[in-house]
Amino acid sequence: LDSNDISTSLFARIKQKIELNKSQPKGAKDAKGPRIAVKEEGKVRLDRDKVKTRLEEVRKTSKAEEAERKRQEEEIKTMKERKKKLEEELKKLKENIETKEREHNEWVNKTKGKGGEIEWLEKQFASLEVKVKRLDELNSKAIKSLTVEEVKETMRLEGVRADAVETLGTNGVDGETLVDLNDSDLNEMRIGWIGRKQVQFVAERRREGRMNEELKGAEGWNVDQVEKWMKENGMGEEGEKMKAEGVDGIILVRLEVRDLMDELGVGVLKRRKEIISKIDGLRQGRKDKNGKEEEEPKGTNTNPPPQQQQEKSSNGNSNQFREREMDVALDAMNSRKGGSAHAFLVWIYKEYPPKKDNAALPDGFGPFSSLIDTKSALKKAILHYHPDHADAFGICWKHFCGEVLKCLNNYYHSFK
């Protein structure tokens, strides 16, 4: 027996009895006789049964304790795993907190900067409101009543280049001069080609009372949108040149062949025709800022003008007819270039009258008209035959108007 299973005193007593029995010879009897030996033997057996019972109890208790120990170990293992998961979640939460704090700090820094930006935008908006109010005041006046300073202010508010505005002021261009202002006059004042087209655009809108109209289609494009459209149509190199020159939508739809050659350096004739053809398609088709066709408003008359309907009805291919007609007209005009300005005006208005409404020679203009009357008629003819007014009548008529304009400018400069 193990001393851990029974009490120490009981163990000592049992050991003493065992030693005593071993020391006695076999069959020997003590002084008290066999009764005492039997008694001692019964006591030993009794103690042995107690020890056995106690041992079973201890073993049962030990099994229960072992089961409890295993249960606690499993519980500890489970708690450790949960602790590990909680630590991982805590780590993620800390990372999220750090990310949120970083984003918050960035947002705070941005909002600090935006405060100044918002203030700047509010000032810009207030400034624009003042400009719009001033433009409305200028537009409410009759164009001929505008002073030189008011013409300059109108041009400046409409975004015309500063050098062109100053040149107009230097040359004393007031409202009356603005009415009859043409490309020849602007060229004589040595205004750059971009400035000339900007001034003509503003003057045209001012004369026709369209200053408050919103720019539609390609006219509303900025420089970047013009470059993008050029690249999408395979004209990237020319688009970069236009961006460098500051060509926006207003300038783009007013480009002519001579602008491509003289100002943008497009030397190849075929390339110039391709570009003008694309721009003509842009001018004739109403397109949005992405270059897509806009839907016609309801109630819009989509039929061509009566003159074009007549041409199409009498000729299967109207463009081919106009091309032949323009070739004949150009030959006839070249044969009359050496004549007088008076004869040229009478011929051109009779044979190929301008397609602009109410465009005609001044009343009383005849063989005995003075030089001043002829000069005035030339200025009006330059307006009537200007290619900017020929977009609706096809590229051939526009080309013809450009050639007529060259002749008219030559006559006008000879009068100067």
Side-chain angles (χ1 to χ4, degrees), residues 75-114:
E75 187 175 353
I76 290 171
K77 184 179 179 181
T78 304
M79 293 179 70
K80 285 181 178 179
E81 292 177 354
R82 187 178 177 188
K83 179 184 176 183
K84 186 177 180 181
K85 289 182 180 179
L86 289 173
E87 286 176 349
E88 292 177 354
E89 291 179 1
L90 181 62
K91 185 179 178 181
K92 290 181 180 179
L93 285 173
K94 287 182 178 179
E95 291 176 354
N96 290 336
I97 290 173
E98 290 176 357
T99 303
K100 292 293 183 182
E101 287 179 347
R102 185 168 58 253
E103 291 176 354
H104 174 70
N105 293 333
E106 291 176 356
W107 179 82
V108 169
N109 293 331
K110 285 182 180 179
T111 51
K112 285 181 180 178
K114 291 270 180 149

mmCIF file of all heavy atoms in Angstrom, residues 75-114:
data_model
loop_
_atom_site.group_PDB
_atom_site.id
_atom_site.type_symbol
_atom_site.label_atom_id
_atom_site.label_comp_id
_atom_site.label_asym_id
_atom_site.label_seq_id
_atom_site.Cartn_x
_atom_site.Cartn_y
_atom_site.Cartn_z
ATOM 1 N N GLU A 75 -11.835 24.377 -21.104
ATOM 2 C CA GLU A 75 -12.399 25.722 -20.943
ATOM 3 C C GLU A 75 -11.317 26.784 -21.079
ATOM 4 O O GLU A 75 -11.520 27.828 -21.709
ATOM 5 C CB GLU A 75 -13.085 25.819 -19.579
ATOM 6 C CG GLU A 75 -13.857 27.125 -19.379
ATOM 7 C CD GLU A 75 -14.630 27.142 -18.073
ATOM 8 O OE1 GLU A 75 -14.677 26.104 -17.390
ATOM 9 O OE2 GLU A 75 -15.195 28.192 -17.751
ATOM 10 N N ILE A 76 -10.138 26.482 -20.483
ATOM 11 C CA ILE A 76 -9.023 27.427 -20.588
ATOM 12 C C ILE A 76 -8.580 27.570 -22.054
ATOM 13 O O ILE A 76 -8.307 28.681 -22.544
ATOM 14 C CB ILE A 76 -7.842 26.971 -19.704
ATOM 15 C CG1 ILE A 76 -8.218 27.133 -18.223
ATOM 16 C CG2 ILE A 76 -6.577 27.761 -20.027
ATOM 17 C CD1 ILE A 76 -7.227 26.523 -17.264
ATOM 18 N N LYS A 77 -8.537 26.428 -22.778
ATOM 19 C CA LYS A 77 -8.157 26.458 -24.169
ATOM 20 C C LYS A 77 -9.143 27.294 -24.999
ATOM 21 O O LYS A 77 -8.753 28.109 -25.846
ATOM 22 C CB LYS A 77 -8.102 25.026 -24.708
ATOM 23 C CG LYS A 77 -7.617 24.926 -26.133
ATOM 24 C CD LYS A 77 -7.564 23.466 -26.572
ATOM 25 C CE LYS A 77 -7.106 23.358 -28.021
ATOM 26 N NZ LYS A 77 -7.073 21.948 -28.479
ATOM 27 N N THR A 78 -10.434 27.072 -24.706
ATOM 28 C CA THR A 78 -11.468 27.845 -25.410
ATOM 29 C C THR A 78 -11.335 29.336 -25.124
ATOM 30 O O THR A 78 -11.463 30.185 -26.020
ATOM 31 C CB THR A 78 -12.860 27.357 -24.992
ATOM 32 O OG1 THR A 78 -12.961 25.952 -25.245
ATOM 33 C CG2 THR A 78 -13.948 28.078 -25.760
ATOM 34 N N MET A 79 -11.088 29.663 -23.867
ATOM 35 C CA MET A 79 -10.944 31.067 -23.480
ATOM 36 C C MET A 79 -9.715 31.698 -24.127
ATOM 37 O O MET A 79 -9.733 32.872 -24.518
ATOM 38 C CB MET A 79 -10.869 31.184 -21.954
ATOM 39 C CG MET A 79 -12.173 30.805 -21.251
ATOM 40 S SD MET A 79 -12.086 30.916 -19.471
ATOM 41 C CE MET A 79 -11.998 32.677 -19.237
ATOM 42 N N LYS A 80 -8.615 30.906 -24.269
ATOM 43 C CA LYS A 80 -7.426 31.425 -24.923
ATOM 44 C C LYS A 80 -7.708 31.719 -26.397
ATOM 45 O O LYS A 80 -7.279 32.754 -26.943
ATOM 46 C CB LYS A 80 -6.286 30.427 -24.800
ATOM 47 C CG LYS A 80 -5.652 30.390 -23.407
ATOM 48 C CD LYS A 80 -4.505 29.401 -23.376
ATOM 49 C CE LYS A 80 -3.831 29.402 -21.991
ATOM 50 N NZ LYS A 80 -2.714 28.422 -21.926
ATOM 51 N N GLU A 81 -8.429 30.810 -27.052
ATOM 52 C CA GLU A 81 -8.782 31.038 -28.450
ATOM 53 C C GLU A 81 -9.657 32.270 -28.612
ATOM 54 O O GLU A 81 -9.477 33.083 -29.529
ATOM 55 C CB GLU A 81 -9.492 29.804 -29.011
ATOM 56 C CG GLU A 81 -8.591 28.592 -29.143
ATOM 57 C CD GLU A 81 -9.349 27.378 -29.624
ATOM 58 O OE1 GLU A 81 -10.600 27.474 -29.747
ATOM 59 O OE2 GLU A 81 -8.719 26.333 -29.871
ATOM 60 N N ARG A 82 -10.610 32.415 -27.700
ATOM 61 C CA ARG A 82 -11.475 33.589 -27.755
ATOM 62 C C ARG A 82 -10.678 34.865 -27.506
ATOM 63 O O ARG A 82 -10.907 35.905 -28.151
ATOM 64 C CB ARG A 82 -12.574 33.449 -26.711
ATOM 65 C CG ARG A 82 -13.633 34.542 -26.811
ATOM 66 C CD ARG A 82 -14.705 34.338 -25.792
ATOM 67 N NE ARG A 82 -15.666 35.426 -25.863
ATOM 68 C CZ ARG A 82 -16.644 35.607 -24.978
ATOM 69 N NH1 ARG A 82 -16.774 34.767 -23.962
ATOM 70 N NH2 ARG A 82 -17.481 36.612 -25.098
ATOM 71 N N LYS A 83 -9.718 34.747 -26.565
ATOM 72 C CA LYS A 83 -8.871 35.894 -26.281
ATOM 73 C C LYS A 83 -8.074 36.293 -27.525
ATOM 74 O O LYS A 83 -7.928 37.478 -27.839
ATOM 75 C CB LYS A 83 -7.921 35.553 -25.134
ATOM 76 C CG LYS A 83 -6.962 36.689 -24.782
ATOM 77 C CD LYS A 83 -5.986 36.243 -23.720
ATOM 78 C CE LYS A 83 -4.960 37.356 -23.431
ATOM 79 N NZ LYS A 83 -3.954 36.912 -22.460
ATOM 80 N N LYS A 84 -7.579 35.284 -28.254
ATOM 81 C CA LYS A 84 -6.815 35.554 -29.465
ATOM 82 C C LYS A 84 -7.681 36.263 -30.506
ATOM 83 O O LYS A 84 -7.257 37.226 -31.158
ATOM 84 C CB LYS A 84 -6.283 34.237 -30.016
ATOM 85 C CG LYS A 84 -5.348 34.411 -31.194
ATOM 86 C CD LYS A 84 -4.797 33.065 -31.648
ATOM 87 C CE LYS A 84 -3.863 33.239 -32.837
ATOM 88 N NZ LYS A 84 -3.333 31.932 -33.295
ATOM 89 N N LYS A 85 -8.928 35.772 -30.686
ATOM 90 C CA LYS A 85 -9.844 36.408 -31.628
ATOM 91 C C LYS A 85 -10.143 37.847 -31.225
ATOM 92 O O LYS A 85 -10.186 38.755 -32.053
ATOM 93 C CB LYS A 85 -11.136 35.608 -31.720
ATOM 94 C CG LYS A 85 -10.980 34.267 -32.429
ATOM 95 C CD LYS A 85 -12.305 33.552 -32.519
ATOM 96 C CE LYS A 85 -12.153 32.207 -33.231
ATOM 97 N NZ LYS A 85 -13.445 31.484 -33.313
ATOM 98 N N LEU A 86 -10.373 38.023 -29.910
ATOM 99 C CA LEU A 86 -10.659 39.377 -29.422
ATOM 100 C C LEU A 86 -9.465 40.309 -29.642
ATOM 101 O O LEU A 86 -9.645 41.490 -29.977
ATOM 102 C CB LEU A 86 -11.026 39.330 -27.938
ATOM 103 C CG LEU A 86 -12.390 38.712 -27.613
ATOM 104 C CD1 LEU A 86 -12.566 38.572 -26.107
ATOM 105 C CD2 LEU A 86 -13.514 39.561 -28.182
ATOM 106 N N GLU A 87 -8.255 39.767 -29.470
ATOM 107 C CA GLU A 87 -7.066 40.582 -29.705
ATOM 108 C C GLU A 87 -6.967 40.984 -31.178
ATOM 109 O O GLU A 87 -6.604 42.117 -31.503
ATOM 110 C CB GLU A 87 -5.819 39.811 -29.279
ATOM 111 C CG GLU A 87 -5.660 39.713 -27.763
ATOM 112 C CD GLU A 87 -4.465 38.860 -27.369
ATOM 113 O OE1 GLU A 87 -3.914 38.187 -28.281
ATOM 114 O OE2 GLU A 87 -4.098 38.858 -26.186
ATOM 115 N N GLU A 88 -7.290 40.026 -32.090
ATOM 116 C CA GLU A 88 -7.279 40.347 -33.517
ATOM 117 C C GLU A 88 -8.332 41.404 -33.848
ATOM 118 O O GLU A 88 -8.079 42.347 -34.613
ATOM 119 C CB GLU A 88 -7.524 39.079 -34.341
ATOM 120 C CG GLU A 88 -6.371 38.080 -34.268
ATOM 121 C CD GLU A 88 -6.680 36.802 -35.027
ATOM 122 O OE1 GLU A 88 -7.839 36.676 -35.508
ATOM 123 O OE2 GLU A 88 -5.800 35.934 -35.129
ATOM 124 N N GLU A 89 -9.538 41.250 -33.296
ATOM 125 C CA GLU A 89 -10.589 42.247 -33.523
ATOM 126 C C GLU A 89 -10.184 43.605 -32.976
ATOM 127 O O GLU A 89 -10.437 44.645 -33.588
ATOM 128 C CB GLU A 89 -11.890 41.781 -32.882
ATOM 129 C CG GLU A 89 -12.508 40.567 -33.578
ATOM 130 C CD GLU A 89 -13.786 40.125 -32.908
ATOM 131 O OE1 GLU A 89 -14.198 40.781 -31.921
ATOM 132 O OE2 GLU A 89 -14.393 39.134 -33.361
ATOM 133 N N LEU A 90 -9.543 43.579 -31.803
ATOM 134 C CA LEU A 90 -9.083 44.832 -31.213
ATOM 135 C C LEU A 90 -8.040 45.502 -32.095
ATOM 136 O O LEU A 90 -8.047 46.729 -32.273
ATOM 137 C CB LEU A 90 -8.505 44.558 -29.822
ATOM 138 C CG LEU A 90 -7.983 45.779 -29.047
ATOM 139 C CD1 LEU A 90 -9.123 46.752 -28.782
ATOM 140 C CD2 LEU A 90 -7.334 45.352 -27.742
ATOM 141 N N LYS A 91 -7.151 44.679 -32.682
ATOM 142 C CA LYS A 91 -6.141 45.218 -33.581
ATOM 143 C C LYS A 91 -6.782 45.868 -34.798
ATOM 144 O O LYS A 91 -6.399 46.968 -35.228
ATOM 145 C CB LYS A 91 -5.202 44.095 -34.006
ATOM 146 C CG LYS A 91 -4.038 44.563 -34.854
ATOM 147 C CD LYS A 91 -3.134 43.393 -35.212
ATOM 148 C CE LYS A 91 -1.977 43.852 -36.102
ATOM 149 N NZ LYS A 91 -1.099 42.718 -36.472
ATOM 150 N N LYS A 92 -7.792 45.176 -35.385
ATOM 151 C CA LYS A 92 -8.508 45.739 -36.528
ATOM 152 C C LYS A 92 -9.215 47.040 -36.157
ATOM 153 O O LYS A 92 -9.217 48.003 -36.918
ATOM 154 C CB LYS A 92 -9.509 44.730 -37.067
ATOM 155 C CG LYS A 92 -8.859 43.535 -37.749
ATOM 156 C CD LYS A 92 -9.920 42.585 -38.280
ATOM 157 C CE LYS A 92 -9.273 41.389 -38.969
ATOM 158 N NZ LYS A 92 -10.291 40.434 -39.485
ATOM 159 N N LEU A 93 -9.831 47.049 -34.979
ATOM 160 C CA LEU A 93 -10.513 48.263 -34.530
ATOM 161 C C LEU A 93 -9.534 49.427 -34.382
ATOM 162 O O LEU A 93 -9.835 50.561 -34.754
ATOM 163 C CB LEU A 93 -11.234 47.999 -33.201
ATOM 164 C CG LEU A 93 -12.518 47.172 -33.290
ATOM 165 C CD1 LEU A 93 -13.023 46.844 -31.889
ATOM 166 C CD2 LEU A 93 -13.587 47.917 -34.063
ATOM 167 N N LYS A 94 -8.342 49.109 -33.828
ATOM 168 C CA LYS A 94 -7.338 50.166 -33.684
ATOM 169 C C LYS A 94 -6.909 50.690 -35.052
ATOM 170 O O LYS A 94 -6.735 51.902 -35.239
ATOM 171 C CB LYS A 94 -6.126 49.622 -32.921
ATOM 172 C CG LYS A 94 -6.382 49.425 -31.430
ATOM 173 C CD LYS A 94 -5.123 48.920 -30.733
ATOM 174 C CE LYS A 94 -5.363 48.763 -29.230
ATOM 175 N NZ LYS A 94 -4.160 48.245 -28.535
ATOM 176 N N GLU A 95 -6.727 49.756 -36.016
ATOM 177 C CA GLU A 95 -6.363 50.184 -37.364
ATOM 178 C C GLU A 95 -7.457 51.043 -37.981
ATOM 179 O O GLU A 95 -7.177 52.058 -38.638
ATOM 180 C CB GLU A 95 -6.091 48.958 -38.238
ATOM 181 C CG GLU A 95 -4.826 48.205 -37.843
ATOM 182 C CD GLU A 95 -4.642 46.947 -38.676
ATOM 183 O OE1 GLU A 95 -5.565 46.634 -39.468
ATOM 184 O OE2 GLU A 95 -3.598 46.278 -38.536
ATOM 185 N N ASN A 96 -8.726 50.633 -37.795
ATOM 186 C CA ASN A 96 -9.839 51.429 -38.314
ATOM 187 C C ASN A 96 -9.888 52.805 -37.685
ATOM 188 O O ASN A 96 -10.146 53.812 -38.352
ATOM 189 C CB ASN A 96 -11.159 50.698 -38.081
ATOM 190 C CG ASN A 96 -11.304 49.468 -38.954
ATOM 191 O OD1 ASN A 96 -10.680 49.378 -40.010
ATOM 192 N ND2 ASN A 96 -12.113 48.522 -38.536
ATOM 193 N N ILE A 97 -9.622 52.837 -36.388
ATOM 194 C CA ILE A 97 -9.625 54.124 -35.679
ATOM 195 C C ILE A 97 -8.519 55.021 -36.231
ATOM 196 O O ILE A 97 -8.726 56.221 -36.476
ATOM 197 C CB ILE A 97 -9.458 53.901 -34.165
ATOM 198 C CG1 ILE A 97 -10.733 53.254 -33.588
ATOM 199 C CG2 ILE A 97 -9.168 55.217 -33.458
ATOM 200 C CD1 ILE A 97 -10.613 52.830 -32.156
ATOM 201 N N GLU A 98 -7.334 54.429 -36.448
ATOM 202 C CA GLU A 98 -6.234 55.215 -36.999
ATOM 203 C C GLU A 98 -6.558 55.726 -38.403
ATOM 204 O O GLU A 98 -6.272 56.875 -38.738
ATOM 205 C CB GLU A 98 -4.966 54.353 -37.041
ATOM 206 C CG GLU A 98 -4.399 54.043 -35.651
ATOM 207 C CD GLU A 98 -3.204 53.105 -35.726
ATOM 208 O OE1 GLU A 98 -2.875 52.675 -36.857
ATOM 209 O OE2 GLU A 98 -2.606 52.815 -34.670
ATOM 210 N N THR A 99 -7.194 54.835 -39.227
ATOM 211 C CA THR A 99 -7.570 55.247 -40.586
ATOM 212 C C THR A 99 -8.589 56.381 -40.539
ATOM 213 O O THR A 99 -8.481 57.377 -41.269
ATOM 214 C CB THR A 99 -8.157 54.060 -41.352
ATOM 215 O OG1 THR A 99 -7.206 52.990 -41.374
ATOM 216 C CG2 THR A 99 -8.497 54.447 -42.778
ATOM 217 N N LYS A 100 -9.612 56.215 -39.692
ATOM 218 C CA LYS A 100 -10.633 57.254 -39.572
ATOM 219 C C LYS A 100 -10.034 58.567 -39.085
ATOM 220 O O LYS A 100 -10.399 59.651 -39.557
ATOM 221 C CB LYS A 100 -11.737 56.791 -38.610
ATOM 222 C CG LYS A 100 -12.575 55.634 -39.139
ATOM 223 C CD LYS A 100 -13.405 56.070 -40.324
ATOM 224 C CE LYS A 100 -14.304 54.934 -40.806
ATOM 225 N NZ LYS A 100 -15.072 55.332 -41.994
ATOM 226 N N GLU A 101 -9.113 58.468 -38.117
ATOM 227 C CA GLU A 101 -8.478 59.693 -37.619
ATOM 228 C C GLU A 101 -7.663 60.368 -38.714
ATOM 229 O O GLU A 101 -7.682 61.590 -38.850
ATOM 230 C CB GLU A 101 -7.582 59.355 -36.426
ATOM 231 C CG GLU A 101 -8.354 59.019 -35.154
ATOM 232 C CD GLU A 101 -7.423 58.670 -34.009
ATOM 233 O OE1 GLU A 101 -6.218 58.450 -34.283
ATOM 234 O OE2 GLU A 101 -7.893 58.598 -32.852
ATOM 235 N N ARG A 102 -6.951 59.534 -39.516
ATOM 236 C CA ARG A 102 -6.160 60.091 -40.597
ATOM 237 C C ARG A 102 -7.072 60.762 -41.631
ATOM 238 O O ARG A 102 -6.788 61.877 -42.104
ATOM 239 C CB ARG A 102 -5.335 58.987 -41.241
ATOM 240 C CG ARG A 102 -4.372 59.488 -42.318
ATOM 241 C CD ARG A 102 -3.372 58.436 -42.741
ATOM 242 N NE ARG A 102 -4.029 57.247 -43.237
ATOM 243 C CZ ARG A 102 -4.103 56.097 -42.575
ATOM 244 N NH1 ARG A 102 -3.574 55.986 -41.365
ATOM 245 N NH2 ARG A 102 -4.711 55.046 -43.102
ATOM 246 N N GLU A 103 -8.172 60.068 -42.013
ATOM 247 C CA GLU A 103 -9.113 60.658 -42.959
ATOM 248 C C GLU A 103 -9.730 61.928 -42.402
ATOM 249 O O GLU A 103 -9.946 62.899 -43.134
ATOM 250 C CB GLU A 103 -10.199 59.639 -43.309
ATOM 251 C CG GLU A 103 -9.690 58.462 -44.128
ATOM 252 C CD GLU A 103 -10.771 57.430 -44.359
ATOM 253 O OE1 GLU A 103 -11.877 57.586 -43.775
ATOM 254 O OE2 GLU A 103 -10.532 56.469 -45.123
ATOM 255 N N HIS A 104 -10.024 61.908 -41.118
ATOM 256 C CA HIS A 104 -10.612 63.091 -40.495
ATOM 257 C C HIS A 104 -9.641 64.269 -40.541
ATOM 258 O O HIS A 104 -10.028 65.401 -40.860
ATOM 259 C CB HIS A 104 -10.986 62.769 -39.056
ATOM 260 C CG HIS A 104 -11.463 63.965 -38.270
ATOM 261 N ND1 HIS A 104 -12.674 64.575 -38.508
ATOM 262 C CD2 HIS A 104 -10.865 64.689 -37.274
ATOM 263 C CE1 HIS A 104 -12.818 65.604 -37.688
ATOM 264 N NE2 HIS A 104 -11.740 65.696 -36.930
ATOM 265 N N ASN A 105 -8.367 63.976 -40.250
ATOM 266 C CA ASN A 105 -7.371 65.048 -40.282
ATOM 267 C C ASN A 105 -7.213 65.599 -41.695
ATOM 268 O O ASN A 105 -7.089 66.820 -41.889
ATOM 269 C CB ASN A 105 -6.031 64.527 -39.763
ATOM 270 C CG ASN A 105 -6.083 64.191 -38.276
ATOM 271 O OD1 ASN A 105 -6.868 64.769 -37.529
ATOM 272 N ND2 ASN A 105 -5.257 63.247 -37.851
ATOM 273 N N GLU A 106 -7.203 64.683 -42.701
ATOM 274 C CA GLU A 106 -7.120 65.133 -44.077
ATOM 275 C C GLU A 106 -8.323 65.984 -44.450
ATOM 276 O O GLU A 106 -8.195 67.005 -45.120
ATOM 277 C CB GLU A 106 -7.015 63.924 -45.012
ATOM 278 C CG GLU A 106 -5.694 63.175 -44.890
ATOM 279 C CD GLU A 106 -5.671 61.934 -45.760
ATOM 280 O OE1 GLU A 106 -6.721 61.640 -46.387
ATOM 281 O OE2 GLU A 106 -4.629 61.248 -45.798
ATOM 282 N N TRP A 107 -9.501 65.531 -44.033
ATOM 283 C CA TRP A 107 -10.720 66.294 -44.327
ATOM 284 C C TRP A 107 -10.675 67.668 -43.671
ATOM 285 O O TRP A 107 -11.066 68.673 -44.268
ATOM 286 C CB TRP A 107 -11.931 65.509 -43.834
ATOM 287 C CG TRP A 107 -13.229 66.220 -44.068
ATOM 288 C CD1 TRP A 107 -13.953 66.259 -45.201
ATOM 289 C CD2 TRP A 107 -13.958 67.013 -43.111
ATOM 290 N NE1 TRP A 107 -15.077 67.015 -45.043
ATOM 291 C CE2 TRP A 107 -15.116 67.494 -43.767
ATOM 292 C CE3 TRP A 107 -13.748 67.360 -41.794
ATOM 293 C CZ2 TRP A 107 -16.037 68.292 -43.120
ATOM 294 C CZ3 TRP A 107 -14.671 68.166 -41.148
ATOM 295 C CH2 TRP A 107 -15.802 68.622 -41.817
ATOM 296 N N VAL A 108 -10.167 67.698 -42.424
ATOM 297 C CA VAL A 108 -10.062 68.982 -41.722
ATOM 298 C C VAL A 108 -9.122 69.917 -42.485
ATOM 299 O O VAL A 108 -9.409 71.100 -42.672
ATOM 300 C CB VAL A 108 -9.571 68.760 -40.273
ATOM 301 C CG1 VAL A 108 -9.197 70.091 -39.627
ATOM 302 C CG2 VAL A 108 -10.647 68.077 -39.448
ATOM 303 N N ASN A 109 -7.985 69.351 -42.929
ATOM 304 C CA ASN A 109 -7.037 70.173 -43.682
ATOM 305 C C ASN A 109 -7.648 70.679 -44.979
ATOM 306 O O ASN A 109 -7.453 71.827 -45.378
ATOM 307 C CB ASN A 109 -5.771 69.368 -43.977
ATOM 308 C CG ASN A 109 -4.994 69.038 -42.714
ATOM 309 O OD1 ASN A 109 -5.051 69.782 -41.731
ATOM 310 N ND2 ASN A 109 -4.281 67.927 -42.721
ATOM 311 N N LYS A 110 -8.411 69.768 -45.651
ATOM 312 C CA LYS A 110 -9.059 70.179 -46.893
ATOM 313 C C LYS A 110 -10.099 71.258 -46.648
ATOM 314 O O LYS A 110 -10.217 72.213 -47.407
ATOM 315 C CB LYS A 110 -9.697 68.973 -47.573
ATOM 316 C CG LYS A 110 -8.690 68.052 -48.237
ATOM 317 C CD LYS A 110 -9.396 66.903 -48.922
ATOM 318 C CE LYS A 110 -8.402 65.974 -49.598
ATOM 319 N NZ LYS A 110 -9.088 64.834 -50.264
ATOM 320 N N THR A 111 -10.899 71.069 -45.613
ATOM 321 C CA THR A 111 -11.948 72.054 -45.332
ATOM 322 C C THR A 111 -11.350 73.395 -44.934
ATOM 323 O O THR A 111 -11.925 74.441 -45.221
ATOM 324 C CB THR A 111 -12.875 71.549 -44.211
ATOM 325 O OG1 THR A 111 -12.083 71.128 -43.092
ATOM 326 C CG2 THR A 111 -13.700 70.384 -44.696
ATOM 327 N N LYS A 112 -10.168 73.331 -44.300
ATOM 328 C CA LYS A 112 -9.509 74.606 -43.987
ATOM 329 C C LYS A 112 -9.149 75.334 -45.269
ATOM 330 O O LYS A 112 -9.342 76.535 -45.398
ATOM 331 C CB LYS A 112 -8.254 74.338 -43.157
ATOM 332 C CG LYS A 112 -8.534 73.965 -41.714
ATOM 333 C CD LYS A 112 -7.239 73.733 -40.953
ATOM 334 C CE LYS A 112 -7.515 73.354 -39.508
ATOM 335 N NZ LYS A 112 -6.271 73.072 -38.766
ATOM 336 N N GLY A 113 -8.612 74.545 -46.260
ATOM 337 C CA GLY A 113 -8.297 75.150 -47.550
ATOM 338 C C GLY A 113 -9.532 75.568 -48.313
ATOM 339 O O GLY A 113 -9.551 76.564 -49.014
ATOM 340 N N LYS A 114 -10.620 74.748 -48.185
ATOM 341 C CA LYS A 114 -11.850 75.047 -48.915
ATOM 342 C C LYS A 114 -12.500 76.327 -48.406
ATOM 343 O O LYS A 114 -13.230 76.973 -49.132
ATOM 344 C CB LYS A 114 -12.843 73.895 -48.756
ATOM 345 C CG LYS A 114 -12.412 72.630 -49.474
ATOM 346 C CD LYS A 114 -12.931 72.610 -50.875
ATOM 347 C CE LYS A 114 -12.491 71.330 -51.550
ATOM 348 N NZ LYS A 114 -13.417 70.869 -52.521
#
